[in-house]
Amino acid sequence: MSLEHPPLLAADDVGFAYRAGTRPLISGFTESFERGSMSALVGPSGSGKSSLLFLMGLMLTPTSGTVLVDGRPASSTSDAERSRLRAEMYGFVFQDAGLDPRRSVIDNVLQPLAFRGESAEPWRERACTMLDDLGVEVPHDRRPGEVSGGQAQRIALCRALLADPAIILADEPTGNLDHDSADVVIARLRKHAEDGSAVLVVTHSREVEELCDRTIAIGTKGGS
């Protein structure tokens, strides 16, 4: 890979253990995630898929190796720098949606802007349009506890995509969804990848895996 065009996201011999002196959950993980690609992370329960996603998202620090963002070492930088990178370059979709129950639907979608130090108001119209486009047919002033699981996951997807992040990390984004809601979520992630971002999805779904450009098996050689 030319240094002029480094992978958007990469892992260089990454290892991780939750406690010192214990067997690593992840060891020797080396992969690159290019712009315009959607990758599936698969493997048995307990193999470290979600932990690896958190490592790539700079929410955990490797015990060995390095995570690189746009060709630059990122996992060993300061907390402030990792927070800045997450705010500016990442979007996250979690299996349980992870919405703030104290905030309205629209305020949950706008929440990442606070981490970017930006006013939410210029983004409000875009947020409303995204909710409508993804079929979130509930009043935007409702709380997360007043919407279905499928609607909550679509709201979480709007939140992740709002600022058009270069990297999307999704942890079992369809695990708790009906077929129609799952199709909506994956189609939107697929489009985001095709528009030039790197999308990494942890999944147990064969259907989701087949929609990705490649599959990375964790718990085998090259994984944990």
Side-chain angles (χ1 to χ4, degrees):
M1 177 63 62
S2 168
L3 293 178
E4 294 181 1
H5 301 285
L8 187 54
L9 182 65
D12 182 10
D13 199 27
V14 165
F16 179 75
Y18 277 100
R19 290 185 298 276
T22 62
R23 182 177 180 273
L25 177 63
I26 297 164
S27 60
F29 183 79
T30 298
E31 289 287 350
S32 296
F33 304 95
E34 306 286 350
R35 294 164 178 80
S37 70
M38 183 167 168
S39 304
L41 270 178
V42 303
S45 297
S47 60
K49 300 184 302 298
S50 294
S51 296
L52 180 58
L53 205 70
F54 294 154
L55 287 162
M56 301 307 295
L58 309 179
M59 292 182 284
L60 290 174
T61 301
T63 49
S64 60
T66 305
V67 174
L68 301 98
V69 176
D70 208 15
R72 299 181 178 88
S75 54
S76 58
T77 58
S78 67
D79 289 344
E81 175 63 10
R82 293 197 302 275
S83 294
R84 183 191 69 79
L85 286 170
R86 286 195 299 269
E88 294 182 359
M89 297 193 67
Y90 284 84
F92 298 92
V93 184
F94 303 105
Q95 183 176 1
D96 63 355
L99 302 178
D100 185 340
R102 301 166 298 178
R103 296 174 182 265
S104 66
V105 165
I106 190 67
D107 286 342
N108 265 282
V109 175
L110 295 167
Q111 187 177 15
L113 299 171
F115 302 115
R116 294 163 61 99
E118 296 185 32
S119 170
E121 288 311 308
W123 295 84
R124 190 171 293 273
E125 183 177 353
R126 172 176 166 83
C128 290
T129 299
M130 291 182 71
L131 286 166
D132 292 342
D133 288 348
L134 279 171
V136 181
E137 298 173 350
V138 299
H140 296 171
D141 60 353
R142 282 191 181 175
R143 296 290 191 269
E146 300 172 314
V147 304
S148 70
Q151 296 281 24
Q153 193 64 300
R154 296 184 195 203
I155 294 164
L157 182 60
C158 289
R159 178 182 62 189
L161 298 178
L162 178 67
D164 197 25
I167 301 166
I168 290 284
L169 304 181
D171 190 6
E172 292 284 2
T174 65
N176 296 325
L177 302 182
D178 60 63
H179 188 269
D180 289 344
S181 294
D183 283 350
V184 169
V185 168
I186 291 303
R188 198 56 182 260
L189 290 173
R190 178 73 253 178
K191 183 180 185 303
H192 197 69
E194 291 171 353
D195 287 344
S197 297
V199 177
L200 179 56
V201 182
V202 168
T203 185
H204 284 105
S205 166
R206 176 65 67 177
E207 292 181 359
V208 173
E209 183 183 343
E210 290 176 349
L211 290 172
C212 293
D213 299 303
R214 63 173 180 156
T215 297
I216 300 166
I218 306 302
T220 61
K221 184 178 180 180
S224 62

PDB file of all heavy atoms in Angstrom, residues 83-84 86-90 111-119 123 162-165:
ATOM      1  N   SER A  83     -10.383  10.716  21.839  1.00  0.00           N
ATOM      2  CA  SER A  83     -11.748  11.250  21.875  1.00  0.00           C
ATOM      3  C   SER A  83     -12.023  12.125  20.660  1.00  0.00           C
ATOM      4  O   SER A  83     -13.110  12.082  20.075  1.00  0.00           O
ATOM      5  CB  SER A  83     -11.968  12.056  23.159  1.00  0.00           C
ATOM      6  OG  SER A  83     -11.909  11.222  24.295  1.00  0.00           O
ATOM      7  N   ARG A  84     -11.037  12.928  20.268  1.00  0.00           N
ATOM      8  CA  ARG A  84     -11.200  13.789  19.096  1.00  0.00           C
ATOM      9  C   ARG A  84     -11.394  12.948  17.837  1.00  0.00           C
ATOM     10  O   ARG A  84     -12.283  13.234  17.015  1.00  0.00           O
ATOM     11  CB  ARG A  84      -9.981  14.698  18.935  1.00  0.00           C
ATOM     12  CG  ARG A  84     -10.105  15.686  17.770  1.00  0.00           C
ATOM     13  CD  ARG A  84      -8.796  16.382  17.482  1.00  0.00           C
ATOM     14  NE  ARG A  84      -7.795  15.474  16.932  1.00  0.00           N
ATOM     15  CZ  ARG A  84      -7.758  15.084  15.646  1.00  0.00           C
ATOM     16  NH1 ARG A  84      -8.691  15.508  14.789  1.00  0.00           N
ATOM     17  NH2 ARG A  84      -6.818  14.260  15.211  1.00  0.00           N
ATOM     18  N   ARG A  86     -12.512   9.855  17.622  1.00  0.00           N
ATOM     19  CA  ARG A  86     -13.830   9.209  17.663  1.00  0.00           C
ATOM     20  C   ARG A  86     -14.926  10.185  17.259  1.00  0.00           C
ATOM     21  O   ARG A  86     -15.838   9.851  16.500  1.00  0.00           O
ATOM     22  CB  ARG A  86     -14.119   8.640  19.052  1.00  0.00           C
ATOM     23  CG  ARG A  86     -13.333   7.382  19.386  1.00  0.00           C
ATOM     24  CD  ARG A  86     -13.917   6.671  20.594  1.00  0.00           C
ATOM     25  NE  ARG A  86     -13.887   7.510  21.787  1.00  0.00           N
ATOM     26  CZ  ARG A  86     -12.889   7.539  22.665  1.00  0.00           C
ATOM     27  NH1 ARG A  86     -11.822   6.777  22.469  1.00  0.00           N
ATOM     28  NH2 ARG A  86     -12.945   8.312  23.724  1.00  0.00           N
ATOM     29  N   ALA A  87     -14.836  11.409  17.754  1.00  0.00           N
ATOM     30  CA  ALA A  87     -15.869  12.403  17.467  1.00  0.00           C
ATOM     31  C   ALA A  87     -15.871  12.818  16.006  1.00  0.00           C
ATOM     32  O   ALA A  87     -16.925  13.022  15.403  1.00  0.00           O
ATOM     33  CB  ALA A  87     -15.672  13.629  18.359  1.00  0.00           C
ATOM     34  N   GLU A  88     -14.696  12.928  15.416  1.00  0.00           N
ATOM     35  CA  GLU A  88     -14.586  13.474  14.065  1.00  0.00           C
ATOM     36  C   GLU A  88     -14.656  12.417  12.970  1.00  0.00           C
ATOM     37  O   GLU A  88     -15.091  12.724  11.847  1.00  0.00           O
ATOM     38  CB  GLU A  88     -13.272  14.252  13.925  1.00  0.00           C
ATOM     39  CG  GLU A  88     -13.219  15.506  14.781  1.00  0.00           C
ATOM     40  CD  GLU A  88     -11.936  16.287  14.583  1.00  0.00           C
ATOM     41  OE1 GLU A  88     -11.078  15.841  13.791  1.00  0.00           O
ATOM     42  OE2 GLU A  88     -11.792  17.348  15.223  1.00  0.00           O
ATOM     43  N   MET A  89     -14.263  11.175  13.259  1.00  0.00           N
ATOM     44  CA  MET A  89     -14.109  10.199  12.193  1.00  0.00           C
ATOM     45  C   MET A  89     -14.972   8.953  12.329  1.00  0.00           C
ATOM     46  O   MET A  89     -15.116   8.200  11.365  1.00  0.00           O
ATOM     47  CB  MET A  89     -12.639   9.774  12.082  1.00  0.00           C
ATOM     48  CG  MET A  89     -11.712  10.912  11.695  1.00  0.00           C
ATOM     49  SD  MET A  89     -10.058  10.348  11.205  1.00  0.00           S
ATOM     50  CE  MET A  89     -10.433   9.473   9.677  1.00  0.00           C
ATOM     51  N   TYR A  90     -15.549   8.721  13.502  1.00  0.00           N
ATOM     52  CA  TYR A  90     -16.243   7.460  13.756  1.00  0.00           C
ATOM     53  C   TYR A  90     -17.745   7.655  13.954  1.00  0.00           C
ATOM     54  O   TYR A  90     -18.204   8.674  14.475  1.00  0.00           O
ATOM     55  CB  TYR A  90     -15.714   6.806  15.025  1.00  0.00           C
ATOM     56  CG  TYR A  90     -14.373   6.124  14.927  1.00  0.00           C
ATOM     57  CD1 TYR A  90     -13.192   6.851  15.052  1.00  0.00           C
ATOM     58  CD2 TYR A  90     -14.279   4.755  14.742  1.00  0.00           C
ATOM     59  CE1 TYR A  90     -11.945   6.228  14.991  1.00  0.00           C
ATOM     60  CE2 TYR A  90     -13.050   4.112  14.689  1.00  0.00           C
ATOM     61  CZ  TYR A  90     -11.884   4.854  14.809  1.00  0.00           C
ATOM     62  OH  TYR A  90     -10.662   4.233  14.760  1.00  0.00           O
ATOM     63  N   GLN A 111     -26.919  13.994  19.380  1.00  0.00           N
ATOM     64  CA  GLN A 111     -25.976  13.900  20.504  1.00  0.00           C
ATOM     65  C   GLN A 111     -24.497  13.934  20.101  1.00  0.00           C
ATOM     66  O   GLN A 111     -23.686  14.586  20.765  1.00  0.00           O
ATOM     67  CB  GLN A 111     -26.269  12.638  21.310  1.00  0.00           C
ATOM     68  CG  GLN A 111     -25.460  12.526  22.596  1.00  0.00           C
ATOM     69  CD  GLN A 111     -25.848  11.279  23.387  1.00  0.00           C
ATOM     70  OE1 GLN A 111     -26.498  10.380  22.857  1.00  0.00           O
ATOM     71  NE2 GLN A 111     -25.463  11.234  24.643  1.00  0.00           N
ATOM     72  N   PRO A 112     -24.062  13.257  19.019  1.00  0.00           N
ATOM     73  CA  PRO A 112     -22.632  13.268  18.688  1.00  0.00           C
ATOM     74  C   PRO A 112     -22.051  14.658  18.441  1.00  0.00           C
ATOM     75  O   PRO A 112     -20.842  14.865  18.582  1.00  0.00           O
ATOM     76  CB  PRO A 112     -22.560  12.413  17.423  1.00  0.00           C
ATOM     77  CG  PRO A 112     -23.750  11.534  17.487  1.00  0.00           C
ATOM     78  CD  PRO A 112     -24.812  12.369  18.120  1.00  0.00           C
ATOM     79  N   LEU A 113     -22.895  15.610  18.075  1.00  0.00           N
ATOM     80  CA  LEU A 113     -22.390  16.948  17.779  1.00  0.00           C
ATOM     81  C   LEU A 113     -21.793  17.604  19.016  1.00  0.00           C
ATOM     82  O   LEU A 113     -20.872  18.423  18.903  1.00  0.00           O
ATOM     83  CB  LEU A 113     -23.507  17.814  17.203  1.00  0.00           C
ATOM     84  CG  LEU A 113     -24.088  17.281  15.888  1.00  0.00           C
ATOM     85  CD1 LEU A 113     -25.322  18.067  15.497  1.00  0.00           C
ATOM     86  CD2 LEU A 113     -23.046  17.324  14.787  1.00  0.00           C
ATOM     87  N   ALA A 114     -22.291  17.231  20.190  1.00  0.00           N
ATOM     88  CA  ALA A 114     -21.733  17.785  21.420  1.00  0.00           C
ATOM     89  C   ALA A 114     -20.280  17.372  21.583  1.00  0.00           C
ATOM     90  O   ALA A 114     -19.441  18.167  22.042  1.00  0.00           O
ATOM     91  CB  ALA A 114     -22.553  17.322  22.625  1.00  0.00           C
ATOM     92  N   PHE A 115     -19.953  16.144  21.182  1.00  0.00           N
ATOM     93  CA  PHE A 115     -18.575  15.667  21.277  1.00  0.00           C
ATOM     94  C   PHE A 115     -17.675  16.338  20.240  1.00  0.00           C
ATOM     95  O   PHE A 115     -16.462  16.403  20.416  1.00  0.00           O
ATOM     96  CB  PHE A 115     -18.524  14.149  21.112  1.00  0.00           C
ATOM     97  CG  PHE A 115     -19.341  13.402  22.115  1.00  0.00           C
ATOM     98  CD1 PHE A 115     -20.440  12.662  21.724  1.00  0.00           C
ATOM     99  CD2 PHE A 115     -19.029  13.456  23.467  1.00  0.00           C
ATOM    100  CE1 PHE A 115     -21.207  11.974  22.657  1.00  0.00           C
ATOM    101  CE2 PHE A 115     -19.786  12.781  24.404  1.00  0.00           C
ATOM    102  CZ  PHE A 115     -20.883  12.037  23.996  1.00  0.00           C
ATOM    103  N   ARG A 116     -18.285  16.838  19.167  1.00  0.00           N
ATOM    104  CA  ARG A 116     -17.526  17.545  18.142  1.00  0.00           C
ATOM    105  C   ARG A 116     -17.407  19.031  18.430  1.00  0.00           C
ATOM    106  O   ARG A 116     -16.758  19.775  17.689  1.00  0.00           O
ATOM    107  CB  ARG A 116     -18.209  17.353  16.780  1.00  0.00           C
ATOM    108  CG  ARG A 116     -18.183  15.932  16.269  1.00  0.00           C
ATOM    109  CD  ARG A 116     -19.200  15.734  15.154  1.00  0.00           C
ATOM    110  NE  ARG A 116     -18.943  16.575  13.996  1.00  0.00           N
ATOM    111  CZ  ARG A 116     -18.336  16.169  12.893  1.00  0.00           C
ATOM    112  NH1 ARG A 116     -17.925  14.913  12.801  1.00  0.00           N
ATOM    113  NH2 ARG A 116     -18.168  16.972  11.878  1.00  0.00           N
ATOM    114  N   GLY A 117     -18.066  19.484  19.502  1.00  0.00           N
ATOM    115  CA  GLY A 117     -18.037  20.893  19.844  1.00  0.00           C
ATOM    116  C   GLY A 117     -18.833  21.757  18.890  1.00  0.00           C
ATOM    117  O   GLY A 117     -18.535  22.941  18.716  1.00  0.00           O
ATOM    118  N   GLU A 118     -19.869  21.179  18.268  1.00  0.00           N
ATOM    119  CA  GLU A 118     -20.670  21.907  17.295  1.00  0.00           C
ATOM    120  C   GLU A 118     -22.083  22.127  17.815  1.00  0.00           C
ATOM    121  O   GLU A 118     -22.614  21.329  18.588  1.00  0.00           O
ATOM    122  CB  GLU A 118     -20.739  21.136  15.973  1.00  0.00           C
ATOM    123  CG  GLU A 118     -19.413  20.969  15.269  1.00  0.00           C
ATOM    124  CD  GLU A 118     -19.567  20.320  13.914  1.00  0.00           C
ATOM    125  OE1 GLU A 118     -20.613  20.544  13.269  1.00  0.00           O
ATOM    126  OE2 GLU A 118     -18.654  19.592  13.497  1.00  0.00           O
ATOM    127  N   SER A 119     -22.697  23.191  17.347  1.00  0.00           N
ATOM    128  CA  SER A 119     -24.097  23.441  17.654  1.00  0.00           C
ATOM    129  C   SER A 119     -24.972  22.434  16.925  1.00  0.00           C
ATOM    130  O   SER A 119     -24.724  22.101  15.753  1.00  0.00           O
ATOM    131  CB  SER A 119     -24.481  24.862  17.235  1.00  0.00           C
ATOM    132  OG  SER A 119     -25.883  25.044  17.306  1.00  0.00           O
ATOM    133  N   TRP A 123     -27.849  21.150  12.193  1.00  0.00           N
ATOM    134  CA  TRP A 123     -27.984  19.755  11.783  1.00  0.00           C
ATOM    135  C   TRP A 123     -29.396  19.217  11.991  1.00  0.00           C
ATOM    136  O   TRP A 123     -29.686  18.084  11.589  1.00  0.00           O
ATOM    137  CB  TRP A 123     -27.005  18.890  12.575  1.00  0.00           C
ATOM    138  CG  TRP A 123     -25.569  19.173  12.298  1.00  0.00           C
ATOM    139  CD1 TRP A 123     -24.795  20.152  12.868  1.00  0.00           C
ATOM    140  CD2 TRP A 123     -24.717  18.487  11.381  1.00  0.00           C
ATOM    141  NE1 TRP A 123     -23.523  20.105  12.368  1.00  0.00           N
ATOM    142  CE2 TRP A 123     -23.442  19.096  11.456  1.00  0.00           C
ATOM    143  CE3 TRP A 123     -24.900  17.415  10.517  1.00  0.00           C
ATOM    144  CZ2 TRP A 123     -22.358  18.662  10.700  1.00  0.00           C
ATOM    145  CZ3 TRP A 123     -23.829  16.980   9.749  1.00  0.00           C
ATOM    146  CH2 TRP A 123     -22.573  17.608   9.843  1.00  0.00           C
ATOM    147  N   LEU A 162     -25.139  10.660  11.034  1.00  0.00           N
ATOM    148  CA  LEU A 162     -25.521  12.067  10.915  1.00  0.00           C
ATOM    149  C   LEU A 162     -24.422  12.938  10.317  1.00  0.00           C
ATOM    150  O   LEU A 162     -24.649  13.696   9.372  1.00  0.00           O
ATOM    151  CB  LEU A 162     -25.940  12.620  12.284  1.00  0.00           C
ATOM    152  CG  LEU A 162     -26.310  14.107  12.294  1.00  0.00           C
ATOM    153  CD1 LEU A 162     -27.584  14.341  11.480  1.00  0.00           C
ATOM    154  CD2 LEU A 162     -26.480  14.611  13.725  1.00  0.00           C
ATOM    155  N   ALA A 163     -23.222  12.857  10.862  1.00  0.00           N
ATOM    156  CA  ALA A 163     -22.128  13.733  10.433  1.00  0.00           C
ATOM    157  C   ALA A 163     -21.274  13.104   9.338  1.00  0.00           C
ATOM    158  O   ALA A 163     -20.155  13.557   9.089  1.00  0.00           O
ATOM    159  CB  ALA A 163     -21.267  14.115  11.632  1.00  0.00           C
ATOM    160  N   ASP A 164     -21.801  12.054   8.688  1.00  0.00           N
ATOM    161  CA  ASP A 164     -21.113  11.391   7.570  1.00  0.00           C
ATOM    162  C   ASP A 164     -19.701  10.955   7.948  1.00  0.00           C
ATOM    163  O   ASP A 164     -18.727  11.318   7.286  1.00  0.00           O
ATOM    164  CB  ASP A 164     -21.069  12.328   6.363  1.00  0.00           C
ATOM    165  CG  ASP A 164     -20.749  11.596   5.078  1.00  0.00           C
ATOM    166  OD1 ASP A 164     -21.022  10.385   4.995  1.00  0.00           O
ATOM    167  OD2 ASP A 164     -20.194  12.235   4.157  1.00  0.00           O
ATOM    168  N   PRO A 165     -19.554  10.133   8.995  1.00  0.00           N
ATOM    169  CA  PRO A 165     -18.218   9.741   9.449  1.00  0.00           C
ATOM    170  C   PRO A 165     -17.500   8.845   8.457  1.00  0.00           C
ATOM    171  O   PRO A 165     -18.133   8.108   7.687  1.00  0.00           O
ATOM    172  CB  PRO A 165     -18.500   8.990  10.755  1.00  0.00           C
ATOM    173  CG  PRO A 165     -19.875   8.438  10.571  1.00  0.00           C
ATOM    174  CD  PRO A 165     -20.615   9.488   9.784  1.00  0.00           C
TER     175      PRO A 165
END
